[in-house]
Amino acid sequence: MSVVRLHPERLHLGTPRRRLLPWLLAGMGILSQVMFPLTGGGTLPLTVAAVVFLAGASVAHAWVTRGGATALALLGTAGGLGLVAEAVGVSTGYPFGGYDYTGTLGAEVLGVPVLVPLAWTMMAWPALVVARVLVPSPRGLPGRIATVAVAAWALTAWDVFLDPQMVDAGHWAWDSPVPHLPGVEGIPLTNFAGWLLVAAVITGVLDLVLPRDRRPALRRDAVPLTVYLWTYYSSVMANAVFFGRPSVALVGALVMGVVAVPLTRRLLRERR
C-alpha cells in the first residue's frame, strides 16, 4: 500500500472544501460585526471574534489561492511588523503619537494586545489585493510605488473608522488628540501619519516578496475584495445610523472612498 504525501503548496488551488474555508471565516467575521449595532457598539467577545475570524479569512485565502509560503509571509510581515510598530509606538510615542492601551483587549505581548497585530493582518491582505486590482500592470519602480501607495492608503483609511470606535469603547486613549482630522475628533493627525508610514512598509514588503499575476483574477480574490468593500459600506452606515458619529461617517466615506469607490466601479464593470 503506497502512501501519498500531501504538500500544501501543491494543494492550494484544490478542493471545494479548501476554497470554502476563507468564505466561511469571512462570513463569521462579518456576522460578528453585524451584531455590533445590536449590542450598543460591540462587546469584547464580538470584537475578538470579528478580528480573529477576518484575520483567519485573510490568511486562509492567501494559503488557498497562493500557497502556504504566502500565508506565512502575510502573517509574519503584517502581524510581525504591526506588533513591532505598536510596541515602539506605546513605548516612545512614535510614529503614531502618544497613546496607551487600557488593558481591555486581553492578552498582551510587549505591551500590545495580541488582537492588534491580528487586526493589521486582517486588513493588510485586502488592502494589497485591492491595490493590485486598481494598479493591474505596474512597470518598474513607478508601478511598484503606485501599488504600495494605493495599498497604504487603503489600509490607513480604514483607521478613520476604527480608531474612533475603539477609543469610544475605551480600548486605548490618546495623550493629546489634537490637532485632529476635521470631523474625527479625539484622534490626532499623527496617528494617521504613523499608520500611513507603517502601512507603506507592510504592504511594500508584501508586494516585494509576493509574486503577482499579470492580470488580476477577480473571482479568485473575491474574499478579500468583499471584505474590503463590506468594511467600507458597513462602516459608513454604522457610523451614520447606529453609532451617532455622522461626521466620522462622512469623512471616512470620503477618505476610504478614494479606494473603495473606484474598486466598486471596476467590479461592476467586470460584471457587465
Side-chain angles (χ1 to χ4, degrees), residues 7 35 40-41 43 67 78 80 88 111 126 138 153 231 235 253:
H7 300 281
M35 299 296 291
T43 63
V88 172
W153 185 276
T231 300
S235 295

Coordinates of all heavy atoms in Angstrom, one line a residue, residues 7 35 40-41 43 67 78 80 88 111 126 138 153 231 235 253:
H7 N 1.4 17.9 -0.1 CA 2.2 19.1 0.1 C 1.2 20.3 -0.1 O 0.6 20.5 -1.1 CB 3.3 19.2 -0.9 CG 4.2 18.0 -0.8 ND1 5.2 17.9 0.1 CD2 4.3 16.8 -1.6 CE1 5.9 16.8 -0.1 NE2 5.3 16.1 -1.1
M35 N -23.5 42.2 14.5 CA -24.1 42.2 15.9 C -23.7 43.4 16.6 O -24.3 43.7 17.7 CB -23.6 40.9 16.6 CG -24.0 39.6 16.0 SD -25.8 39.4 16.1 CE -26.1 39.3 17.8
G40 N -25.1 47.9 21.2 CA -24.6 49.3 21.6 C -23.2 49.6 21.2 O -22.6 50.5 21.8
G41 N -22.7 49.0 20.1 CA -21.4 49.3 19.6 C -20.4 48.2 19.7 O -19.2 48.4 19.4
T43 N -19.2 44.3 21.9 CA -18.7 43.8 23.1 C -17.3 43.2 22.9 O -16.9 43.0 21.7 CB -19.6 42.7 23.7 OG1 -19.6 41.6 22.8 CG2 -21.0 43.2 23.9
G67 N -0.7 29.5 -1.7 CA 0.2 28.6 -1.0 C 0.6 29.0 0.4 O 0.4 30.1 0.8
A78 N 2.7 41.3 8.1 CA 1.7 42.2 8.6 C 1.6 42.0 10.2 O 1.6 43.1 10.9 CB 0.4 41.9 8.0
G80 N 3.9 40.6 12.3 CA 5.1 40.9 12.9 C 5.5 42.4 12.9 O 5.8 42.9 14.0
V88 N 6.8 49.8 19.7 CA 7.6 51.0 19.6 C 6.7 52.2 19.9 O 7.0 53.2 20.6 CB 8.3 51.2 18.3 CG1 9.0 52.5 18.2 CG2 9.3 50.1 18.1
G111 N 3.5 44.8 25.6 CA 2.6 45.9 25.9 C 1.5 46.1 24.9 O 0.8 47.1 24.9
P126 N -6.4 42.4 2.3 CA -7.4 43.0 1.4 C -6.8 44.3 0.8 O -7.0 44.6 -0.4 CB -8.6 43.3 2.3 CG -8.5 42.3 3.3 CD -7.0 42.1 3.6
P138 N 1.8 47.2 -13.2 CA 2.9 48.1 -12.9 C 4.2 47.8 -13.7 O 4.5 46.6 -14.0 CB 3.2 47.8 -11.4 CG 2.8 46.4 -11.2 CD 1.6 46.2 -12.2
W153 N -2.7 53.6 1.4 CA -3.9 54.5 1.7 C -5.1 53.6 2.0 O -5.9 54.0 2.9 CB -4.2 55.3 0.4 CG -5.3 56.3 0.6 CD1 -6.6 56.1 0.5 CD2 -5.2 57.7 1.0 NE1 -7.3 57.2 0.7 CE2 -6.5 58.2 1.1 CE3 -4.1 58.5 1.3 CZ2 -6.7 59.5 1.4 CZ3 -4.3 59.8 1.6 CH2 -5.6 60.3 1.7
T231 N -16.3 46.3 4.7 CA -15.8 47.2 5.7 C -16.1 48.6 5.4 O -16.5 49.4 6.3 CB -14.3 47.0 5.8 OG1 -14.0 45.6 6.2 CG2 -13.7 47.9 6.9
S235 N -19.2 50.4 7.5 CA -18.7 51.4 8.4 C -19.3 52.7 8.2 O -19.6 53.4 9.2 CB -17.1 51.5 8.3 OG -16.5 50.3 8.6
A253 N -16.2 58.1 4.6 CA -16.7 57.8 3.3 C -15.8 58.4 2.2 O -15.6 57.9 1.1 CB -18.1 58.3 3.2

